Amino acid sequence: MDQLINLRDLEFVLYDVLATESLLSYPHYEEHSRETFDAFIEIAEKIAEKYFLPHNSKADVHEPSFDGENISLIPEVKPALEQYSDAGFIGCRHLYENGGMQLPAVIASACQSFFFSANPSTAGYPFLTTAASNLIAAFATTAQKKQYLPGLLNGRIFGTMALTEPEVGSSLGDLKTSALLQADGSYLIKGQKMFISAGDHQLSENIVHLVLARIKDAPTGVKGISLFIVPKFLVDQNGSKLQRNDVQVAGLIHKMGYRGTTSTVLNFGEQDDCRGYLVGEENQGLMYMFKMMNEARIGVGLGAAMIGYRGYLSSLEYARNRPQGRLPSNRDPSSKAIMLIEHADIRRMLLAQKSYVEGSLALCLYASKLMDETEAGIDENERVKAGQLLDLLTPVVKSFPSTYGTKANDFAIQVLGGSGYTRDYPVEQCYRDNRLNPIHEGTHGIQALDLLGRKLWQANSGAFKQLLKLITETVELADNSDLNVEAGTLNKATSRLAAVTQTLGKSLLTEGPDKTLANASLYLDSFGRIVVAWLWLKQALIAQGKLTGKSMNLAQKDFLDGKVQTARYFISWELPEVFHLLQLLENLDPACFDMRDKWF
């Protein structure tokens, strides 16, 4: 049984649902083939299983330590990352001429899924490095690219994103870190950042911090934020390491999960000599950083999906092999105990997990394919449309897997019973690791405000209309199949979402944002359930089509039947909850908004 991901599921989503091979018609990807795609995926699986999975638990138990000068990690982390870097995964999406492999984002995400499932803590280091390299490739000067990009792509340099400050949190407009221009064009950076994942370690010869700071006399709020490259070690024009920069670790933060990834408090400019280098234009830093943040949000969603997936597969294996109890109809205590999976309530929890994690994976891979269509599509209009849809869905891609992947891990523990919360099995660590993802890269509430307060209304709601059209097309196809009941439920939910969205749009004008957005998290949840229900209906339709086709072996048939059954479950059990949530939204239910501090 697959430990990290059901390979048949991955292949089905990539090639049957998303038609990933269609990307080969794009000039950017024309040198690839189905064979090269599959080869990368196979290499990722092998490295993840051989070098990442074996030390996942050890890295959790033996957290990074800080002696006041250096941070120490367990020795298995470095060779694992060397294997990852040597295989080309850090820069796999970059141009050939920059040392990359011009791999589609959807295939890169498929590869990354193995590493997130095997060991999310160790996978965090190259994940952040990839995002940093993408930002530098997009916005840095030619000289800056020469200095840093080769090292980032080959793993000699790792990257971070340094946004959060102790007194600021997610309210970036209030950040205090300062940048003072010097005669040589560099800036003196001064301030403190916290919760900086991978902020310091001995895994690479240098670390590039991408730091948000405010230049003297810059506008207040988010309009006055600039972005800086701040290396741990200064480099010459060719990227060769020079002296240590004035960036110091103030301490480590110990979290409930992702314990193998260093989480740091960093002091910039303790000795008033921290050098930073402006990326792009002054006061445009948040716009540049959003490229890294949005990619990171999709990555967080994928990570959450895969940690949920790992827990699901672990609990499924346990349920198939653990004898316990008898069916309610059997009152003979001398009869043989049955396997857990034969109990209906165990199958309920396994089915919920399957619907969450496989639906989340499909969602994340769909978003990655939209990224490919945005960046490499042949038709400009189609590129714009794909970009708008990706922008709309990014809060959903980050939040749905983070919420429901964690819920899947909760169910996984329950399936194992008392064994589930012991360290003898991986599911308790999966839960702890995944519980961080609803907070990583913006909380559920922040994503909800982004979706309902901003994303929906951009370009005259063009992306939302596009999404409604796509869902309608799938519903119409399903109307002519024995999935017509499920199609009807999805159609009603989507129509209700559209109507409530109109109501909330008017309310923003009449009632104002405070009251209208008070229940925004309910909107994000409803939106996510509907999108995932749509993806499940698509999967079920394709599975049914394959079931009526040529003969297949029993395992293939079981897989396809499982897809159809899971779609029926999600649309019948999980989707209808949106009708209650949408009613609360439509009524601008005041229960939370009207609550007062002193009433608690």
Side-chain angles (χ1 to χ4, degrees):
M1 180 177 171
D2 298 321
Q3 297 185 77
L4 304 181
I5 185 171
N6 183 336
L7 295 176
R8 187 173 275 117
D9 177 37
L10 183 61
E11 180 181 7
F12 176 76
V13 173
L14 283 175
Y15 299 119
D16 293 308
V17 179
L18 298 180
T20 298
E21 286 178 274
S22 65
L23 296 174
L24 297 172
S25 65
Y26 294 0
H28 192 69
Y29 304 127
E30 63 185 2
E31 293 188 29
H32 284 290
S33 65
R34 168 74 180 265
E35 288 70 30
T36 62
F37 291 169
D38 289 343
F40 272 102
I41 291 170
E42 183 179 355
I43 292 169
E45 180 189 19
K46 289 180 178 178
I47 294 175
E49 287 187 345
K50 185 174 181 179
Y51 294 96
F52 281 66
L53 182 60
H55 71 271
N56 185 40
S57 177
K58 184 177 179 180
D60 179 67
V61 174
H62 301 282
E63 297 179 69
S65 61
F66 179 52
D67 63 7
E69 292 186 11
N70 295 308
I71 289 176
S72 299
L73 304 172
I74 61 170
E76 292 88 343
V77 177
K78 188 175 178 64
L81 294 178
E82 288 172 349
Q83 289 288 328
Y84 185 101
S85 301
D86 290 347
F89 284 115
I90 291 179
C92 64
R93 289 190 56 222
H94 284 260
L95 298 173
Y96 294 124
E97 53 263 38
N98 291 336
M101 299 178 183
Q102 289 187 206
L103 202 64
V106 66
I107 298 298
S109 292
C111 294
Q112 189 65 29
S113 66
F114 290 96
F115 300 105
F116 280 137
S117 180
N119 192 324
S121 290
T122 296
Y125 295 98
F127 165 63
L128 288 164
T129 302
T130 295
S133 71
N134 292 341
L135 187 151
I136 288 174
F139 301 116
T141 65
T142 301
Q144 289 169 341
K145 292 176 186 178
K146 181 180 178 182
Q147 286 176 299
Y148 300 107
L149 204 51
L152 286 165
L153 298 187
N154 65 25
R156 290 188 300 104
I157 301 174
F158 278 10
T160 77
M161 54 195 307
L163 290 72
T164 306
E165 298 180 4
E167 304 302 322
V168 173
S170 299
S171 183
L172 295 177
D174 296 326
L175 66 81
K176 306 299 183 190
T177 300
S178 63
L180 184 64
L181 180 63
Q182 302 299 292
D184 63 357
S186 67
Y187 288 77
L188 285 181
I189 308 296
K190 193 171 184 64
Q192 187 178 77
K193 301 287 184 177
M194 71 181 302
F195 298 121
I196 309 306
S197 298
D200 198 69
H201 48 73
Q202 309 300 317
L203 299 170
S204 57
E205 66 181 52
N206 204 353
I207 301 172
V208 167
H209 304 290
L210 292 172
V211 179
L212 292 182
R214 195 180 303 278
I215 296 173
K216 184 179 179 181
D217 299 325
T220 57
V222 296
K223 293 182 179 180
I225 297 175
S226 298
L227 177 64
F228 299 87
I229 293 171
V230 183
K232 178 179 178 179
F233 289 92
L234 300 176
V235 301
D236 65 19
Q237 61 183 3
N238 295 314
S240 297
K241 188 170 70 170
L242 301 173
Q243 72 270 25
R244 178 72 184 259
N245 200 4
D246 185 12
V247 182
Q248 305 297 331
V249 179
L252 289 178
I253 298 167
H254 299 281
K255 299 179 179 179
M256 68 182 287
Y258 279 79
R259 291 179 173 180
T261 308
T262 59
S263 181
T264 58
V265 179
L266 296 179
N267 289 339
F268 296 88
E270 273 189 354
Q271 307 300 321
D272 297 321
D273 193 25
C274 177
R275 299 285 168 162
Y277 305 91
L278 181 68
V279 175
E281 300 177 10
E282 293 183 6
N283 306 326
Q284 300 297 313
L286 197 56
M287 181 189 74
Y288 303 142
M289 184 60 90
F290 262 111
K291 176 176 177 58
M292 187 171 181
M293 289 170 64
N294 283 334
E295 289 184 16
R297 285 169 175 171
I298 294 170
V300 167
L302 179 63
M306 295 318 302
I307 298 170
Y309 212 129
R310 171 90 192 284
Y312 159 62
L313 292 178
S314 296
S315 65
L316 175 59
E317 181 179 28
Y318 186 90
R320 283 173 167 168
N321 292 284
R322 165 74 175 186
Q324 185 168 308
R326 295 158 188 85
L327 293 177
S329 60
N330 182 3
R331 300 188 178 184
D332 181 4
S334 65
S335 62
K336 185 179 180 180
I338 61 175
M339 296 300 170
L340 278 174
I341 201 166
E342 295 184 52
H343 294 285
D345 197 55
I346 296 293
R347 293 197 298 275
R348 172 187 66 84
M349 290 186 284
L350 290 170
L351 189 51
Q353 289 182 70
K354 181 178 172 71
S355 75
Y356 299 154
V357 303
E358 291 186 10
S360 292
L361 177 60
L363 173 66
C364 294
L365 293 178
Y366 175 63
S368 298
K369 186 161 184 271
L370 287 175
M371 193 180 300
D372 290 318
E373 294 171 358
T374 302
E375 296 175 354
I378 301 170
D379 180 77
E380 182 179 357
N381 183 54
E382 292 303 313
R383 288 200 304 271
V384 170
K385 289 173 64 177
Q388 291 173 343
L389 188 54
L390 176 62
D391 202 34
L392 175 71
L393 289 177
T394 295
V396 180
V397 177
K398 189 273 173 185
S399 292
F400 183 91
S402 298
T403 299
Y404 290 96
T406 306
K407 190 172 180 180
N409 291 133
D410 187 18
F411 278 137
I413 291 173
Q414 191 70 20
V415 168
L416 269 69
S419 296
Y421 48 72
T422 70
R423 290 191 174 182
D424 297 325
Y425 297 89
V427 292
E428 66 87 24
Q429 183 188 340
C430 288
Y431 180 84
R432 287 187 290 102
D433 284 340
N434 224 353
R435 187 56 190 83
L436 274 63
N437 283 317
I439 297 173
H440 279 158
E441 300 306 324
T443 64
H444 189 78
I446 288 172
Q447 305 302 324
L449 292 174
D450 185 36
L451 176 64
L452 183 56
R454 191 170 69 90
K455 294 288 181 65
L456 271 170
W457 318 111
Q458 291 176 339
N460 195 29
S461 296
F464 185 52
K465 294 170 186 174
Q466 186 185 164
L467 178 63
L468 295 178
K469 183 174 182 291
L470 291 170
I471 295 174
T472 299
E473 290 171 353
T474 303
V475 165
E476 289 174 349
L477 286 174
D479 278 338
N480 299 315
S481 73
D482 63 2
L483 291 163
N484 60 319
V485 173
E486 288 75 19
T489 302
L490 178 57
N491 187 50
K492 289 177 184 176
T494 306
S495 298
R496 189 81 179 96
L497 177 71
V500 171
T501 301
Q502 275 194 324
T503 299
L504 294 173
K506 294 175 183 176
S507 178
L508 282 169
L509 299 175
T510 58
E511 300 289 340
D514 290 349
K515 188 172 183 180
T516 304
L517 300 178
N519 299 325
S521 61
L522 305 185
Y523 187 88
L524 177 59
D525 190 22
S526 301
F527 200 103
R529 289 180 194 240
I530 288 169
V531 172
V532 173
W534 165 56
L535 291 171
W536 266 118
L537 186 60
K538 283 174 69 72
Q539 292 186 70
L541 278 169
I542 293 168
Q544 278 196 336
K546 293 173 79 69
L547 282 165
T548 59
K550 61 183 180 180
S551 61
M552 61 190 68
N553 63 43
L554 186 58
Q556 290 171 318
K557 184 177 184 304
D558 286 341
F559 169 77
L560 296 171
D561 283 333
K563 280 293 183 184
V564 175
Q565 189 71 5
T566 309
R568 292 189 192 280
Y569 164 81
F570 190 84
I571 295 172
S572 299
W573 284 57
E574 302 286 341
L575 180 61
E577 292 187 27
V578 307
F579 293 108
H580 172 61
L581 301 180
L582 291 172
Q583 188 65 54
L584 292 172
L585 281 157
E586 186 175 57
N587 294 341
L588 298 182
D589 186 89
C592 301
F593 185 76
D594 288 350
M595 186 64 179
R596 295 293 176 263
D597 181 359
K598 293 183 179 179
W599 298 353
F600 284 100

